[in-house]
Amino acid sequence: MKCSCCQKELIRNLTLRELFFSTSLRCYHCEKQFTKIDQKTACPGCGRGSTPKLCQDCHIWQQKLGFVLNNKSLYQYDEGFRQWIKAYKFTGDYRLRGAFVTELEQLLKIYRTYLICPLPLSKERFEQRGFNQVSGCLELTKVSFAPLLKRKELSPQSEKTRAERLLMEQPFLLAVTSEKIRNQKVLLVDDVYTTGRTLFHGAELLYKNGAETVKSLTFAR
Ligand SMILES: [Zn+2]
Ligand SMILES: [Zn+2]
């Protein structure tokens, strides 16, 4: 059996439980690579660890937009996670997508009544990378998910820089009819929660189209 993260042969002895129930196994080295966020002591708005009350950033979002995302994240965005995402997403080692499938599946169990939607990449980015890094991980879980959003093609004629535009403008369009969204609960999934801006854009659009609740889940925060 191979480590689902680094792909090296596992040299430790597996427990019976691991043999029969685990879909992802990590070697001793990779097990230490990720720092789990304890959901009991995470910000209820953005999911950052060690602050069980709504954090300052979330207060600002709450004031600005009138809602927070109730985001949950599996891991801290630390050096270990950064190394994994660098190899998986930026170097493009698709085999690494199974690194935490068991943990992801476990966390997704609380969203059984939700439509699950990975944040889409731009066409350009998708063609460069060859895969959507979030869908890659979701495909290994038993949950079904669907693209409810797609990226707008950005108009080249604007005085603002590309980076500015990305921050300000709504980057998404619905990929389905609004009937599919109306009165539904939606879970947006992304790889990293940084400022939350992109997730909030997605949530705003879904709320505009009648979604009942929009929450988010990311692999790291
Ligand atoms: Zn490993
Ligand atoms: Zn927060």
Short mmCIF file of all heavy atoms in Angstrom, two decimals, residues 65-120:
data_model
loop_
_atom_site.label_atom_id
_atom_site.label_comp_id
_atom_site.label_asym_id
_atom_site.label_seq_id
_atom_site.Cartn_x
_atom_site.Cartn_y
_atom_site.Cartn_z
N LEU A 65 -21.73 42.87 4.15
CA LEU A 65 -22.62 42.08 3.30
C LEU A 65 -23.85 41.54 4.02
O LEU A 65 -24.78 41.05 3.39
CB LEU A 65 -21.85 40.89 2.69
CG LEU A 65 -20.62 41.22 1.84
CD1 LEU A 65 -19.95 39.95 1.36
CD2 LEU A 65 -21.01 42.08 0.63
N GLY A 66 -23.82 41.61 5.33
CA GLY A 66 -24.97 41.13 6.07
C GLY A 66 -24.99 39.64 6.35
O GLY A 66 -25.97 39.11 6.86
N PHE A 67 -23.91 38.95 6.00
CA PHE A 67 -23.83 37.52 6.32
C PHE A 67 -22.38 37.07 6.43
O PHE A 67 -21.48 37.76 5.99
CB PHE A 67 -24.58 36.67 5.28
CG PHE A 67 -23.96 36.69 3.90
CD1 PHE A 67 -23.04 35.71 3.52
CD2 PHE A 67 -24.29 37.67 2.98
CE1 PHE A 67 -22.47 35.71 2.24
CE2 PHE A 67 -23.72 37.68 1.70
CZ PHE A 67 -22.81 36.70 1.34
N VAL A 68 -22.18 35.92 7.04
CA VAL A 68 -20.86 35.26 7.03
C VAL A 68 -21.05 33.89 6.39
O VAL A 68 -22.18 33.46 6.14
CB VAL A 68 -20.24 35.12 8.44
CG1 VAL A 68 -19.79 36.46 8.97
CG2 VAL A 68 -21.20 34.45 9.41
N LEU A 69 -19.96 33.21 6.14
CA LEU A 69 -20.05 31.98 5.35
C LEU A 69 -20.14 30.70 6.18
O LEU A 69 -20.30 29.62 5.63
CB LEU A 69 -18.84 31.88 4.42
CG LEU A 69 -18.86 32.83 3.22
CD1 LEU A 69 -17.50 32.90 2.57
CD2 LEU A 69 -19.91 32.38 2.21
N ASN A 70 -20.01 30.83 7.49
CA ASN A 70 -19.94 29.63 8.33
C ASN A 70 -18.94 28.63 7.74
O ASN A 70 -19.21 27.44 7.64
CB ASN A 70 -21.30 28.95 8.48
CG ASN A 70 -22.29 29.86 9.17
OD1 ASN A 70 -23.32 30.20 8.61
ND2 ASN A 70 -21.97 30.30 10.38
N ASN A 71 -17.82 29.19 7.31
CA ASN A 71 -16.81 28.34 6.67
C ASN A 71 -16.18 27.37 7.67
O ASN A 71 -15.94 27.71 8.82
CB ASN A 71 -15.71 29.24 6.09
CG ASN A 71 -14.61 28.44 5.43
OD1 ASN A 71 -14.82 27.85 4.37
ND2 ASN A 71 -13.44 28.38 6.05
N LYS A 72 -15.94 26.15 7.20
CA LYS A 72 -15.14 25.19 7.96
C LYS A 72 -13.95 24.79 7.12
O LYS A 72 -14.07 24.58 5.91
CB LYS A 72 -15.96 23.94 8.30
CG LYS A 72 -17.03 24.19 9.36
CD LYS A 72 -17.64 22.87 9.80
CE LYS A 72 -18.93 23.06 10.57
NZ LYS A 72 -18.78 23.84 11.81
N SER A 73 -12.78 24.70 7.77
CA SER A 73 -11.58 24.28 7.06
C SER A 73 -10.97 23.09 7.77
O SER A 73 -11.01 23.00 8.99
CB SER A 73 -10.56 25.42 7.01
OG SER A 73 -11.12 26.56 6.40
N LEU A 74 -10.39 22.20 6.98
CA LEU A 74 -9.78 21.00 7.57
C LEU A 74 -8.46 21.31 8.27
O LEU A 74 -8.22 20.86 9.38
CB LEU A 74 -9.49 19.97 6.46
CG LEU A 74 -10.61 19.11 5.93
CD1 LEU A 74 -10.15 18.35 4.69
CD2 LEU A 74 -11.06 18.12 7.00
N TYR A 75 -7.61 22.08 7.59
CA TYR A 75 -6.24 22.25 8.08
C TYR A 75 -5.81 23.70 8.14
O TYR A 75 -6.36 24.55 7.43
CB TYR A 75 -5.26 21.50 7.17
CG TYR A 75 -5.56 20.03 7.07
CD1 TYR A 75 -6.06 19.50 5.90
CD2 TYR A 75 -5.39 19.19 8.16
CE1 TYR A 75 -6.38 18.15 5.80
CE2 TYR A 75 -5.71 17.85 8.09
CZ TYR A 75 -6.20 17.34 6.91
OH TYR A 75 -6.52 16.02 6.83
N GLN A 76 -4.79 23.91 8.94
CA GLN A 76 -4.18 25.24 8.96
C GLN A 76 -3.33 25.42 7.72
O GLN A 76 -2.64 24.50 7.29
CB GLN A 76 -3.29 25.38 10.20
CG GLN A 76 -4.07 25.75 11.43
CD GLN A 76 -3.17 25.79 12.64
OE1 GLN A 76 -2.04 26.21 12.58
NE2 GLN A 76 -3.70 25.33 13.76
N TYR A 77 -3.35 26.60 7.19
CA TYR A 77 -2.48 26.89 6.06
C TYR A 77 -1.09 27.18 6.61
O TYR A 77 -0.74 28.30 6.94
CB TYR A 77 -3.01 28.08 5.25
CG TYR A 77 -2.24 28.29 3.97
CD1 TYR A 77 -2.56 27.58 2.82
CD2 TYR A 77 -1.17 29.16 3.92
CE1 TYR A 77 -1.84 27.73 1.66
CE2 TYR A 77 -0.43 29.34 2.75
CZ TYR A 77 -0.78 28.61 1.63
OH TYR A 77 -0.05 28.77 0.47
N ASP A 78 -0.33 26.13 6.79
CA ASP A 78 1.02 26.29 7.32
C ASP A 78 2.02 25.73 6.31
O ASP A 78 1.65 25.41 5.18
CB ASP A 78 1.15 25.61 8.69
CG ASP A 78 0.75 24.13 8.65
OD1 ASP A 78 0.61 23.57 7.54
OD2 ASP A 78 0.59 23.53 9.73
N GLU A 79 3.26 25.59 6.72
CA GLU A 79 4.31 25.16 5.80
C GLU A 79 4.00 23.78 5.19
O GLU A 79 4.19 23.55 4.00
CB GLU A 79 5.67 25.17 6.52
CG GLU A 79 6.87 24.83 5.67
CD GLU A 79 6.99 25.66 4.39
OE1 GLU A 79 6.50 26.80 4.36
OE2 GLU A 79 7.56 25.14 3.41
N GLY A 80 3.48 22.88 6.01
CA GLY A 80 3.16 21.54 5.53
C GLY A 80 2.09 21.57 4.46
O GLY A 80 2.22 20.93 3.40
N PHE A 81 1.04 22.32 4.70
CA PHE A 81 -0.03 22.41 3.72
C PHE A 81 0.47 23.11 2.45
O PHE A 81 0.13 22.72 1.34
CB PHE A 81 -1.25 23.15 4.29
CG PHE A 81 -2.44 23.07 3.37
CD1 PHE A 81 -3.33 22.01 3.46
CD2 PHE A 81 -2.63 24.01 2.37
CE1 PHE A 81 -4.40 21.90 2.58
CE2 PHE A 81 -3.70 23.91 1.49
CZ PHE A 81 -4.58 22.85 1.59
N ARG A 82 1.27 24.13 2.67
CA ARG A 82 1.80 24.89 1.52
C ARG A 82 2.61 23.98 0.59
O ARG A 82 2.52 24.06 -0.62
CB ARG A 82 2.67 26.04 2.03
CG ARG A 82 2.74 27.24 1.08
CD ARG A 82 3.71 28.29 1.61
NE ARG A 82 5.07 27.73 1.75
CZ ARG A 82 5.89 27.52 0.73
NH1 ARG A 82 5.55 27.81 -0.50
NH2 ARG A 82 7.09 26.99 0.93
N GLN A 83 3.38 23.09 1.20
CA GLN A 83 4.18 22.16 0.39
C GLN A 83 3.28 21.22 -0.41
O GLN A 83 3.56 20.92 -1.57
CB GLN A 83 5.09 21.33 1.29
CG GLN A 83 6.37 22.04 1.61
CD GLN A 83 7.25 21.22 2.52
OE1 GLN A 83 7.08 20.01 2.62
NE2 GLN A 83 8.17 21.88 3.19
N TRP A 84 2.23 20.75 0.24
CA TRP A 84 1.32 19.84 -0.46
C TRP A 84 0.65 20.56 -1.64
O TRP A 84 0.62 20.05 -2.75
CB TRP A 84 0.25 19.31 0.50
CG TRP A 84 -0.81 18.51 -0.21
CD1 TRP A 84 -0.70 17.20 -0.61
CD2 TRP A 84 -2.09 18.97 -0.65
NE1 TRP A 84 -1.86 16.83 -1.27
CE2 TRP A 84 -2.73 17.89 -1.31
CE3 TRP A 84 -2.77 20.19 -0.55
CZ2 TRP A 84 -4.00 17.99 -1.87
CZ3 TRP A 84 -4.04 20.29 -1.12
CH2 TRP A 84 -4.63 19.20 -1.76
N ILE A 85 0.13 21.76 -1.38
CA ILE A 85 -0.62 22.45 -2.45
C ILE A 85 0.31 22.88 -3.57
O ILE A 85 -0.08 22.91 -4.74
CB ILE A 85 -1.49 23.61 -1.91
CG1 ILE A 85 -2.59 23.93 -2.93
CG2 ILE A 85 -0.71 24.85 -1.58
CD1 ILE A 85 -3.94 24.11 -2.38
N LYS A 86 1.54 23.14 -3.22
CA LYS A 86 2.52 23.51 -4.24
C LYS A 86 2.73 22.32 -5.19
O LYS A 86 2.70 22.46 -6.41
CB LYS A 86 3.83 23.90 -3.56
CG LYS A 86 4.85 24.49 -4.49
CD LYS A 86 6.05 25.00 -3.70
CE LYS A 86 7.27 25.00 -4.61
NZ LYS A 86 8.49 24.57 -3.91
N ALA A 87 2.93 21.15 -4.61
CA ALA A 87 3.19 19.96 -5.44
C ALA A 87 1.94 19.53 -6.22
O ALA A 87 2.02 19.16 -7.38
CB ALA A 87 3.67 18.82 -4.55
N TYR A 88 0.78 19.64 -5.58
CA TYR A 88 -0.46 19.18 -6.20
C TYR A 88 -0.97 20.18 -7.24
O TYR A 88 -1.15 19.85 -8.42
CB TYR A 88 -1.50 18.98 -5.10
CG TYR A 88 -2.91 18.71 -5.57
CD1 TYR A 88 -3.20 17.69 -6.47
CD2 TYR A 88 -3.98 19.46 -5.08
CE1 TYR A 88 -4.51 17.44 -6.88
CE2 TYR A 88 -5.28 19.22 -5.48
CZ TYR A 88 -5.54 18.21 -6.39
OH TYR A 88 -6.82 17.97 -6.79
N LYS A 89 -1.16 21.41 -6.80
CA LYS A 89 -1.83 22.38 -7.66
C LYS A 89 -0.86 23.05 -8.63
O LYS A 89 -1.15 23.17 -9.80
CB LYS A 89 -2.48 23.43 -6.74
CG LYS A 89 -3.19 24.56 -7.40
CD LYS A 89 -3.93 25.36 -6.30
CE LYS A 89 -4.31 26.74 -6.73
NZ LYS A 89 -4.98 27.47 -5.63
N PHE A 90 0.28 23.47 -8.13
CA PHE A 90 1.16 24.25 -8.99
C PHE A 90 2.10 23.38 -9.81
O PHE A 90 2.37 23.68 -10.96
CB PHE A 90 1.89 25.32 -8.18
CG PHE A 90 0.94 26.28 -7.53
CD1 PHE A 90 0.74 26.28 -6.15
CD2 PHE A 90 0.18 27.16 -8.30
CE1 PHE A 90 -0.18 27.14 -5.55
CE2 PHE A 90 -0.75 28.03 -7.73
CZ PHE A 90 -0.91 28.02 -6.35
N THR A 91 2.61 22.29 -9.22
CA THR A 91 3.44 21.39 -10.03
C THR A 91 2.55 20.42 -10.81
O THR A 91 2.96 19.85 -11.80
CB THR A 91 4.44 20.61 -9.13
OG1 THR A 91 5.02 21.53 -8.21
CG2 THR A 91 5.54 19.95 -9.94
N GLY A 92 1.33 20.24 -10.33
CA GLY A 92 0.37 19.45 -11.08
C GLY A 92 0.45 17.95 -10.84
O GLY A 92 0.09 17.15 -11.71
N ASP A 93 0.93 17.51 -9.67
CA ASP A 93 0.98 16.08 -9.36
C ASP A 93 -0.41 15.61 -8.90
O ASP A 93 -0.74 15.66 -7.71
CB ASP A 93 2.03 15.80 -8.29
CG ASP A 93 2.28 14.31 -8.12
OD1 ASP A 93 1.45 13.50 -8.61
OD2 ASP A 93 3.29 13.94 -7.50
N TYR A 94 -1.17 15.13 -9.86
CA TYR A 94 -2.58 14.79 -9.63
C TYR A 94 -2.75 13.65 -8.64
O TYR A 94 -3.79 13.53 -8.00
CB TYR A 94 -3.19 14.42 -10.99
CG TYR A 94 -4.70 14.42 -11.02
CD1 TYR A 94 -5.42 15.54 -10.61
CD2 TYR A 94 -5.40 13.31 -11.50
CE1 TYR A 94 -6.81 15.55 -10.66
CE2 TYR A 94 -6.79 13.31 -11.55
CZ TYR A 94 -7.50 14.44 -11.12
OH TYR A 94 -8.87 14.44 -11.16
N ARG A 95 -1.73 12.81 -8.49
CA ARG A 95 -1.84 11.67 -7.56
C ARG A 95 -2.03 12.13 -6.12
O ARG A 95 -2.54 11.41 -5.28
CB ARG A 95 -0.57 10.80 -7.63
CG ARG A 95 -0.35 10.14 -8.97
CD ARG A 95 0.99 9.49 -9.01
NE ARG A 95 2.06 10.45 -8.68
CZ ARG A 95 3.33 10.12 -8.50
NH1 ARG A 95 3.70 8.86 -8.57
NH2 ARG A 95 4.23 11.03 -8.22
N LEU A 96 -1.61 13.35 -5.83
CA LEU A 96 -1.68 13.85 -4.45
C LEU A 96 -3.09 14.24 -4.01
O LEU A 96 -3.32 14.60 -2.87
CB LEU A 96 -0.76 15.07 -4.28
CG LEU A 96 0.71 14.85 -4.60
CD1 LEU A 96 1.49 16.12 -4.37
CD2 LEU A 96 1.28 13.74 -3.73
N ARG A 97 -4.04 14.15 -4.93
CA ARG A 97 -5.40 14.60 -4.61
C ARG A 97 -6.06 13.76 -3.53
O ARG A 97 -7.05 14.15 -2.94
CB ARG A 97 -6.27 14.60 -5.86
CG ARG A 97 -6.56 13.20 -6.40
CD ARG A 97 -7.20 13.30 -7.76
NE ARG A 97 -7.48 11.99 -8.31
CZ ARG A 97 -8.65 11.63 -8.82
NH1 ARG A 97 -9.64 12.49 -8.85
NH2 ARG A 97 -8.82 10.43 -9.31
N GLY A 98 -5.52 12.58 -3.26
CA GLY A 98 -6.13 11.71 -2.25
C GLY A 98 -5.57 11.92 -0.85
O GLY A 98 -5.89 11.18 0.07
N ALA A 99 -4.75 12.95 -0.67
CA ALA A 99 -4.02 13.11 0.60
C ALA A 99 -4.91 13.08 1.84
O ALA A 99 -4.52 12.56 2.86
CB ALA A 99 -3.21 14.40 0.57
N PHE A 100 -6.11 13.66 1.77
CA PHE A 100 -6.95 13.68 2.98
C PHE A 100 -8.40 13.35 2.67
O PHE A 100 -9.32 13.92 3.26
CB PHE A 100 -6.82 15.03 3.71
CG PHE A 100 -6.79 16.22 2.79
CD1 PHE A 100 -7.94 16.68 2.18
CD2 PHE A 100 -5.59 16.87 2.53
CE1 PHE A 100 -7.92 17.76 1.33
CE2 PHE A 100 -5.55 17.96 1.67
CZ PHE A 100 -6.72 18.41 1.07
N VAL A 101 -8.61 12.42 1.74
CA VAL A 101 -9.97 12.09 1.32
C VAL A 101 -10.85 11.60 2.48
O VAL A 101 -12.02 11.97 2.57
CB VAL A 101 -9.97 11.11 0.12
CG1 VAL A 101 -9.20 9.86 0.41
CG2 VAL A 101 -11.39 10.74 -0.29
N THR A 102 -10.28 10.84 3.40
CA THR A 102 -11.08 10.33 4.53
C THR A 102 -11.58 11.47 5.41
O THR A 102 -12.75 11.52 5.80
CB THR A 102 -10.25 9.35 5.38
OG1 THR A 102 -9.65 8.41 4.49
CG2 THR A 102 -11.10 8.60 6.38
N GLU A 103 -10.69 12.40 5.71
CA GLU A 103 -11.04 13.54 6.55
C GLU A 103 -12.06 14.44 5.85
O GLU A 103 -12.99 14.96 6.46
CB GLU A 103 -9.79 14.36 6.89
CG GLU A 103 -8.83 13.69 7.85
CD GLU A 103 -7.89 12.70 7.16
OE1 GLU A 103 -8.05 12.44 5.94
OE2 GLU A 103 -6.99 12.17 7.84
N LEU A 104 -11.88 14.60 4.55
CA LEU A 104 -12.79 15.44 3.77
C LEU A 104 -14.19 14.82 3.76
O LEU A 104 -15.19 15.50 3.99
CB LEU A 104 -12.25 15.58 2.34
CG LEU A 104 -13.05 16.43 1.35
CD1 LEU A 104 -13.21 17.86 1.86
CD2 LEU A 104 -12.38 16.43 -0.02
N GLU A 105 -14.23 13.52 3.53
CA GLU A 105 -15.51 12.82 3.51
C GLU A 105 -16.22 12.93 4.85
O GLU A 105 -17.42 13.15 4.92
CB GLU A 105 -15.25 11.36 3.19
CG GLU A 105 -16.40 10.67 2.53
CD GLU A 105 -15.94 9.41 1.84
OE1 GLU A 105 -15.41 8.51 2.53
OE2 GLU A 105 -16.05 9.35 0.62
N GLN A 106 -15.45 12.82 5.90
CA GLN A 106 -15.99 12.93 7.25
C GLN A 106 -16.64 14.30 7.48
O GLN A 106 -17.76 14.40 7.96
CB GLN A 106 -14.83 12.70 8.25
CG GLN A 106 -15.24 12.56 9.69
CD GLN A 106 -16.09 11.30 9.91
OE1 GLN A 106 -15.90 10.29 9.22
NE2 GLN A 106 -17.03 11.37 10.84
N LEU A 107 -15.93 15.35 7.10
CA LEU A 107 -16.44 16.70 7.30
C LEU A 107 -17.67 16.97 6.42
O LEU A 107 -18.60 17.67 6.83
CB LEU A 107 -15.33 17.72 7.02
CG LEU A 107 -15.58 19.18 7.40
CD1 LEU A 107 -15.95 19.33 8.87
CD2 LEU A 107 -14.35 20.05 7.11
N LEU A 108 -17.69 16.38 5.24
CA LEU A 108 -18.82 16.60 4.32
C LEU A 108 -20.12 15.97 4.81
O LEU A 108 -21.19 16.31 4.33
CB LEU A 108 -18.47 16.07 2.92
CG LEU A 108 -17.53 16.96 2.09
CD1 LEU A 108 -17.01 16.19 0.89
CD2 LEU A 108 -18.24 18.23 1.63
N LYS A 109 -20.00 15.06 5.77
CA LYS A 109 -21.19 14.37 6.27
C LYS A 109 -22.23 15.32 6.86
O LYS A 109 -23.42 15.01 6.85
CB LYS A 109 -20.81 13.34 7.34
CG LYS A 109 -20.34 12.05 6.72
CD LYS A 109 -20.07 11.01 7.76
CE LYS A 109 -19.54 9.76 7.08
NZ LYS A 109 -18.79 8.93 8.01
N ILE A 110 -21.79 16.47 7.37
CA ILE A 110 -22.76 17.40 7.95
C ILE A 110 -23.52 18.20 6.90
O ILE A 110 -24.39 18.98 7.22
CB ILE A 110 -22.13 18.35 9.00
CG1 ILE A 110 -20.90 19.03 8.43
CG2 ILE A 110 -21.82 17.62 10.28
CD1 ILE A 110 -20.22 19.97 9.43
N TYR A 111 -23.16 18.00 5.63
CA TYR A 111 -23.82 18.78 4.56
C TYR A 111 -24.65 17.89 3.64
O TYR A 111 -24.74 18.12 2.45
CB TYR A 111 -22.77 19.54 3.76
CG TYR A 111 -21.93 20.46 4.60
CD1 TYR A 111 -20.64 20.09 4.99
CD2 TYR A 111 -22.42 21.69 5.02
CE1 TYR A 111 -19.86 20.93 5.77
CE2 TYR A 111 -21.65 22.54 5.80
CZ TYR A 111 -20.37 22.16 6.18
OH TYR A 111 -19.60 22.99 6.95
N ARG A 112 -25.27 16.87 4.22
CA ARG A 112 -26.02 15.90 3.40
C ARG A 112 -27.16 16.53 2.60
O ARG A 112 -27.51 16.05 1.55
CB ARG A 112 -26.61 14.80 4.30
CG ARG A 112 -25.56 13.78 4.67
CD ARG A 112 -26.16 12.39 4.82
NE ARG A 112 -25.09 11.43 5.09
CZ ARG A 112 -24.69 11.09 6.32
NH1 ARG A 112 -25.30 11.58 7.37
NH2 ARG A 112 -23.70 10.25 6.48
N THR A 113 -27.75 17.61 3.14
CA THR A 113 -28.90 18.21 2.45
C THR A 113 -28.48 19.37 1.54
O THR A 113 -29.32 20.12 1.05
CB THR A 113 -29.93 18.72 3.46
OG1 THR A 113 -29.26 19.64 4.35
CG2 THR A 113 -30.52 17.59 4.29
N TYR A 114 -27.19 19.52 1.34
CA TYR A 114 -26.69 20.66 0.56
C TYR A 114 -26.34 20.26 -0.87
O TYR A 114 -25.92 19.13 -1.13
CB TYR A 114 -25.41 21.22 1.21
CG TYR A 114 -25.66 22.03 2.44
CD1 TYR A 114 -26.16 21.44 3.60
CD2 TYR A 114 -25.41 23.39 2.45
CE1 TYR A 114 -26.40 22.19 4.74
CE2 TYR A 114 -25.63 24.16 3.59
CZ TYR A 114 -26.14 23.55 4.73
OH TYR A 114 -26.37 24.31 5.84
N LEU A 115 -26.48 21.23 -1.78
CA LEU A 115 -25.89 21.08 -3.11
C LEU A 115 -24.42 21.45 -2.94
O LEU A 115 -24.11 22.49 -2.36
CB LEU A 115 -26.53 22.05 -4.11
CG LEU A 115 -28.03 21.92 -4.38
CD1 LEU A 115 -28.49 23.07 -5.28
CD2 LEU A 115 -28.32 20.58 -5.04
N ILE A 116 -23.54 20.60 -3.42
CA ILE A 116 -22.12 20.85 -3.22
C ILE A 116 -21.48 21.34 -4.52
O ILE A 116 -21.61 20.70 -5.56
CB ILE A 116 -21.44 19.59 -2.67
CG1 ILE A 116 -22.02 19.34 -1.28
CG2 ILE A 116 -19.92 19.74 -2.63
CD1 ILE A 116 -21.57 18.09 -0.62
N CYS A 117 -20.83 22.49 -4.41
CA CYS A 117 -20.32 23.14 -5.61
C CYS A 117 -18.87 23.60 -5.44
O CYS A 117 -18.59 24.47 -4.63
CB CYS A 117 -21.20 24.36 -5.92
SG CYS A 117 -20.53 25.43 -7.21
N PRO A 118 -17.94 22.97 -6.16
CA PRO A 118 -16.55 23.47 -6.11
C PRO A 118 -16.46 24.81 -6.84
O PRO A 118 -17.18 25.03 -7.81
CB PRO A 118 -15.76 22.40 -6.88
CG PRO A 118 -16.75 21.69 -7.73
CD PRO A 118 -18.10 21.83 -7.07
N LEU A 119 -15.63 25.72 -6.36
CA LEU A 119 -15.46 26.99 -7.08
C LEU A 119 -14.79 26.70 -8.42
O LEU A 119 -13.81 25.98 -8.48
CB LEU A 119 -14.61 27.97 -6.27
CG LEU A 119 -15.28 28.72 -5.14
CD1 LEU A 119 -14.40 29.89 -4.71
CD2 LEU A 119 -16.67 29.22 -5.48
N PRO A 120 -15.33 27.28 -9.48
CA PRO A 120 -14.77 26.99 -10.80
C PRO A 120 -13.50 27.80 -11.09
O PRO A 120 -13.29 28.87 -10.52
CB PRO A 120 -15.89 27.43 -11.75
CG PRO A 120 -16.60 28.51 -11.00
CD PRO A 120 -16.50 28.16 -9.55
#
